[in-house]
Amino acid sequence: MTKCLVCSCNKTMPISEQTLGQPVYQALCRHQVGDFLQALESPDDLVVACTQEKPLFQALAQEKPQVAATGLRFFNIRETAGWSDQAASATPKIKALIAHASLPLADPVPAVSYTSQGRLLIVGPASLVSQAMSGAALFEGLVPTGLVTELDGALPTSRARPVVTGELVGLTGFLGQFKARWAQRNPIDLEICTRCGACQQACPEQAITVDFQIDLSRCKSSRDCVKACDVVGAIQFDRLNDEREEDFDLVLDFGAAPSFTQPDPPKGYIHVPPSQGQAQAMQALAQLAAQVGEFEKPKFFKYEQRLCAHGRNGKVGCSACIDVCSTLAIGSVFADGRGRVEVNPNLCMGCGACTTVCPSGAMRYAYPSADRIALEMRTLLKGYTQAGGQAASLLLYGETQELGGAWEMLEAYGRLAQQKRAPGLPANVLPLSLHHVASVGLEVWLAALCYGAAEVTILLTGQEAEQYQAALEKQVSVGREMLRLLGLYPEALRLVTIAKAQDLAGVWPATRQLASSVSEPGGFALGDDKRTALETCLDYLIRKGQPKAQPAELPAGLPVGSPIGGLHLNADRCTLCMSCVGACPEGALKDGGDRPLLAFIERNCVQCGLCVKTCPESALSLDPRLAPLEDRREAVTIHESTPFCCIRCGRPFATKEALRAMLLRIGSHPAFQGEAAKRLEMCGDCRVVDMVEKEL
């Protein structure tokens, strides 16, 4: 059981117990807080329709000696429903939000751990490194090391913290496991140097600076400094360009260009341009100090290698997940000619874009799963419809601001509506938060339409990585074309980008007329098989869809990049060598056993292109399209040939096309000239026998 507490926030929302069918508080966080404390004594799950005072309620729950309630959580109805110029008609929406919030918690996922001991590398010009080294002393837990790459100011003379000079030549890793490599560009090793000044006194060219670095442009190689430092041994000219390597937990980079070039660098790394160094150094140090300790995050993905279409026979087929990843967390691995992808969970930030673009379903999102998101959509839409709501518009948005999420804009928009400066979210717009908006794609959007949504709006903020935006645009274009071919409303899938809260006012024009794409809402689960989920949605839209226009005659083309489609085969080129069958990772291509034929099951094809790249005759090309579902499920012969029989024993051993190709390739070889040319028309056994007989 789940108990839900609803508050009208000092009567600023026009909701009543009569219309909502449950008690409605006016000031649950103030004089009615006793009811919240009493609800904590019940063993039921407890959800509170208030996010504004979440910290207060959590603190009260922690202070209460005996708490029986489990699963305490909070959800928003104020900014998303109650503060709107359509709030008076938002009861179905609020009931839907309550039903959604009352769902049991999603299954937990495995955790990924980090351990950071505060070992901080500060890289950059001397002036900024010195400033940051001093500032780091103010933050407990930071243990800085300075790597000076440019002498634009005085180096620290204190030996309290290590300072070295050189050029950073390599930086890899993530929070708690960074590995830095730098090349020494000066003969004096500052970690060994005692700053005694003997070298400066001995140098006849006065080439040693006050920072105890040798100005190599002035040095005449007298090596008097080396002799003066022979006891300490801090000066060695033969160490120039030697590389050193050390491990760090955190990195503050003042370099002109960041050491990590991906759009989303790893946790524990902050780049501050030199021009902003003095102003932002302390803020960056504060952020890094907060990353000292032990941390956990969810493992956001599941990977099933047997479904992966990344590579076969040493050739790369699908690389969609690698191409879209903004953290460079995904790499390519080949072994014995077979390719797979490998994900570093510590670099993964959980955007889920890799799972969205994966055509085979080998990469699946787990936080939460697509099946769980489908359950949440069904619950929202069913609750809304049962409460009398019509023409539901599902709004998918990212909840995390650091990942470009739109929640803060939605919250600000609701507050503008409360101040009568904006209309607020319409009563038919049902918001559903995601960890990242790119974590769901085509099959989930189509499922929402099957569940009764009149439209699905995917909300971006422009802060997402460019490759995420491009991936979502491609998926929307494929989905829209599918809907158009089925005679449904293509604009039921919308990708909208806003830059500020006020932009939301133009997303849902009052003049728009919406209607569900289906005659009755579907109740099917989505499951974990992405291909089956997409097939199920298409089948439902065909059977239960309400066409707005004449459906197209299928098969019909889809945009390039579609996860479904067929193959074009040039019969004049194909020799039925079956290389494509061995290359296909999804079992879409089949041989005929004893018969020389090639069969194709379109439902299995993920358009990875491995067959196209493998074909030695360049006889295949991809054909992204939507075909009748019954045709997609059947094995169809796309090429068949007459077997060629051995001229000596009569046993079939090749096709006529294969023999013709062989004659063109090796017919001019000396071993097959004159009477020996007939051997090309013999099977392997007879060819050997013929050669032996001729030699005897």
Side-chain angles (χ1 to χ4, degrees):
M1 290 288 293
T2 300
K3 184 172 185 177
C4 179
L5 302 181
V6 177
C7 180
S8 68
C9 196
N10 196 26
K11 299 182 180 180
T12 58
M13 292 184 282
I15 52 178
S16 67
E17 296 183 1
Q18 183 178 2
T19 57
L20 207 57
Q22 71 169 73
V24 176
Y25 296 91
Q26 298 174 10
L28 185 63
C29 61
R30 296 298 183 262
H31 69 271
Q32 294 175 312
V33 74
D35 286 17
F36 168 74
L37 295 173
Q38 184 177 355
L40 291 173
E41 298 174 2
S42 170
D44 298 332
D45 279 6
L46 180 60
V47 294
V48 181
C50 175
T51 53
Q52 170 70 38
E53 297 297 332
K54 176 181 175 180
L56 171 64
F57 289 124
Q58 287 178 323
L60 291 172
Q62 291 176 355
E63 293 173 1
K64 187 174 174 60
Q66 294 181 339
V67 175
T70 57
L72 176 62
R73 51 196 185 273
F74 305 85
F75 69 104
N76 185 285
I77 64 170
R78 191 177 72 174
E79 283 82 3
T80 58
W83 284 359
S84 166
D85 61 5
Q86 296 183 19
S89 56
T91 298
K93 177 180 184 175
I94 294 175
K95 286 186 175 182
L97 293 173
I98 291 173
H100 172 258
S102 300
L103 283 171
L105 292 172
D107 293 335
V109 298
V112 177
S113 61
Y114 299 87
T115 300
S116 167
Q117 300 174 359
R119 299 170 300 171
L120 169 63
L121 175 65
I122 304 174
V123 187
S127 59
L128 295 176
V129 170
S130 297
Q131 176 189 347
M133 293 282 285
S134 300
L138 303 176
F139 295 94
E140 184 178 356
L142 292 182
V143 184
T145 294
L147 172 56
V148 174
T149 57
E150 178 186 346
L151 289 172
D152 68 338
L155 291 172
T157 56
S158 169
R159 294 296 304 273
R161 296 296 182 195
V163 176
V164 296
T165 60
E167 179 185 355
L168 186 67
V169 295
L171 182 64
T172 59
F174 46 84
L175 175 64
Q177 294 190 39
F178 286 106
K179 191 174 291 293
R181 289 187 301 110
W182 65 90
Q184 298 191 156
R185 297 295 189 233
N186 204 275
I188 298 181
D189 189 332
L190 292 179
E191 285 195 278
I192 302 175
C193 176
T194 64
R195 278 68 165 177
C196 67
C199 58
Q200 293 171 326
Q201 295 176 9
C203 179
E205 295 90 12
Q206 300 295 303
I208 302 178
T209 69
V210 294
D211 298 308
F212 296 96
Q213 294 289 277
I214 297 177
D215 184 345
L216 296 174
S217 66
R218 295 165 59 188
C219 177
K220 303 302 182 184
S221 302
S222 67
R223 301 299 190 262
D224 291 349
C225 57
V226 177
K227 298 173 185 176
C229 194
D230 62 345
V231 175
V232 176
I235 306 177
Q236 294 182 23
F237 280 81
D238 58 2
R239 72 156 55 95
L240 286 175
N241 299 319
D242 282 356
E243 289 189 3
R244 297 179 59 181
E245 187 175 271
E246 196 166 332
D247 295 331
F248 296 93
D249 300 304
L250 307 160
V251 179
L252 176 54
D253 185 358
F254 290 113
S259 299
F260 291 100
T261 57
Q262 60 263 46
D264 295 295
K267 287 185 177 296
Y269 171 86
I270 295 179
H271 174 255
V272 178
S275 60
Q276 304 172 23
Q278 292 187 350
Q280 296 187 12
M282 295 304 290
Q283 179 182 353
L285 287 168
Q287 293 176 15
L288 291 169
Q291 299 181 54
V292 177
E294 295 184 357
F295 308 93
E296 284 189 347
K297 71 173 184 181
K299 184 179 179 182
F300 295 101
F301 64 92
K302 292 181 180 179
Y303 175 62
E304 197 166 350
Q305 183 180 342
R306 68 178 182 85
L307 298 177
C308 184
H310 178 56
R312 293 290 189 279
N313 303 325
K315 298 182 183 297
V316 173
C318 175
S319 61
C321 61
I322 296 174
D323 298 337
V324 82
C325 182
S326 70
T327 64
L328 301 185
I330 309 178
S332 173
V333 179
F334 271 81
D336 299 324
R338 296 176 68 87
R340 61 181 174 86
V341 299
E342 191 169 78
V343 186
N344 185 329
N346 292 94
L347 290 177
C348 172
M349 71 175 191
C351 70
C354 57
T355 67
T356 294
V357 300
C358 177
S360 68
M363 195 74 74
R364 302 201 308 272
Y365 199 64
Y367 190 70
S369 67
D371 192 50
R372 167 69 189 203
I373 293 172
L375 171 63
E376 295 184 16
M377 293 192 305
R378 289 200 308 276
T379 302
L380 262 177
L381 293 164
K382 182 178 179 180
Y384 177 75
T385 303
Q386 288 183 341
Q390 296 181 341
S393 174
L394 184 67
L395 172 63
L396 301 177
Y397 68 93
E399 63 184 355
T400 310
Q401 185 184 20
E402 66 176 312
L403 299 181
W407 166 242
E408 291 198 1
M409 291 189 190
L410 289 169
E411 188 177 39
Y413 187 59
R415 291 175 178 170
L416 289 173
Q418 167 65 358
Q419 300 164 14
K420 308 302 181 185
R421 296 165 56 194
L425 290 183
N428 70 324
V429 173
L430 306 180
L432 179 62
S433 68
L434 306 167
H435 182 71
H436 195 289
V437 72
S439 62
V440 298
L442 184 58
E443 75 282 1
V444 175
W445 304 336
L446 293 181
L449 299 181
C450 293
Y451 298 153
E455 71 173 359
V456 178
T457 301
I458 303 103
L459 188 63
L460 304 180
T461 63
Q463 300 175 38
E464 301 84 2
E466 290 183 2
Q467 54 262 54
Y468 297 161
Q469 299 178 43
L472 292 174
E473 287 171 0
K474 181 181 291 185
Q475 293 253 318
V476 167
S477 70
V478 171
R480 283 187 163 189
E481 186 61 14
M482 287 178 172
L483 294 175
R484 189 191 69 79
L485 294 176
L486 297 180
L488 303 174
Y489 185 51
E491 283 71 25
L493 295 182
R494 300 196 303 157
L495 187 65
V496 176
T497 301
I498 60 171
K500 55 186 183 301
Q502 291 85 340
D503 295 344
L504 287 163
V507 175
W508 297 277
T511 56
R512 296 173 70 240
Q513 298 294 320
L514 296 177
S516 175
S517 295
V518 294
S519 58
E520 60 180 281
F524 57 87
L526 210 55
D528 289 331
D529 188 322
K530 182 173 187 173
R531 303 289 297 182
T532 300
L534 180 57
E535 200 85 3
T536 300
C537 292
L538 289 172
D539 179 67
Y540 194 86
L541 289 172
I542 290 172
R543 290 188 296 106
K544 299 292 185 178
Q546 301 185 103
K548 310 295 188 295
Q550 179 65 34
E553 183 177 348
L554 301 181
L558 290 173
V560 174
S562 166
I564 64 174
L567 286 174
H568 284 303
L569 182 138
N570 186 331
D572 293 332
R573 286 179 171 270
C574 178
T575 64
L576 289 176
C577 69
M578 301 303 170
S579 296
C580 56
V581 174
C584 180
E586 308 299 332
L589 288 164
K590 304 285 187 182
D591 62 35
D594 294 335
R595 296 173 57 197
L597 65 82
L598 179 64
F600 178 61
I601 305 174
E602 189 162 332
R603 182 183 188 276
N604 294 351
C605 180
V606 299
Q607 299 283 287
C608 68
L610 275 169
C611 58
V612 176
K613 294 180 180 179
T614 301
C615 179
E617 310 298 338
S618 300
L620 292 171
S621 60
L622 296 178
D623 179 21
R625 67 180 191 176
L626 178 61
L629 298 188
E630 57 273 16
D631 294 349
R632 286 172 43 78
R633 295 164 183 159
E634 297 295 328
V636 178
T637 298
I638 58 175
H639 188 44
E640 187 172 8
S641 179
T642 304
F644 186 87
C645 298
C646 174
I647 60 173
R648 179 168 177 143
C649 70
R651 181 169 62 89
F653 73 96
T655 65
K656 291 183 177 180
E657 292 86 352
L659 184 64
R660 183 171 64 249
M662 184 167 59
L663 288 170
L664 290 173
R665 284 188 172 90
I666 64 173
S668 60
H669 193 278
F672 301 104
Q673 299 301 307
E675 285 294 317
K678 294 182 178 180
R679 292 173 185 160
L680 291 175
E681 299 179 3
M682 299 178 187
C683 66
D685 293 340
C686 291
R687 196 176 301 146
V688 173
V689 172
D690 184 72
M691 292 175 67
V692 172
E693 289 177 349
K694 293 297 188 290
E695 290 178 2
L696 295 176

